[in-house]
Amino acid sequence: MTDEQDPLADSIRRKRKRREQWLREGERPMGRNLALIGALGWLVIVPTLAGLFAGRWLDERAGGGIFWTAALLFAGVALGGWLAWNRIGQER
């Protein structure tokens, strides 16, 4: 097995790179971390609530049941998770 294919060597290389970056840039400020947590919360909750309210509205118009509420709630959670995932990816 060559050094390029060795998962242990790759892991050590990544850890060394992260450590060098940390020594160069330092630790992220607490305020920036808190802002990211707040942004992630809004990114998840807004599409979830929008799906919930739109689903309730459609279900009331369709004559009851929870078909649209459940479907759009799930879609809102999925969209919020995707948006949060992309936001975390931007921070890296």
Side-chain angles (χ1 to χ4, degrees):
M1 182 179 294
T2 64
D3 198 34
E4 293 175 3
Q5 295 174 340
D6 186 16
L8 181 60
D10 188 42
S11 175
I12 292 170
R13 205 173 301 115
R14 279 192 317 243
K15 186 173 182 178
R16 185 177 298 143
K17 184 179 176 185
R18 282 192 305 262
R19 172 93 173 133
E20 289 170 358
Q21 180 182 1
W22 182 80
L23 288 172
R24 213 174 33 252
E25 298 173 7
E27 195 167 330
R28 288 169 37 130
M30 179 65 81
R32 188 170 175 189
N33 290 338
L34 290 174
L36 178 62
I37 291 170
L40 292 176
W42 282 107
L43 284 173
V44 173
I45 203 72
V46 169
T48 301
L49 289 177
L52 179 69
F53 290 130
R56 294 286 299 168
W57 183 80
L58 285 172
D59 280 337
E60 287 175 5
R61 301 290 179 261
I66 63 164
F67 175 77
W68 289 108
T69 302
L72 292 179
L73 178 64
F74 178 76
V77 169
L79 176 63
W82 181 76
L83 290 171
W85 184 269
N86 284 337
R87 180 70 172 96
I88 291 172
Q90 289 175 355
E91 284 294 315
R92 289 186 176 177

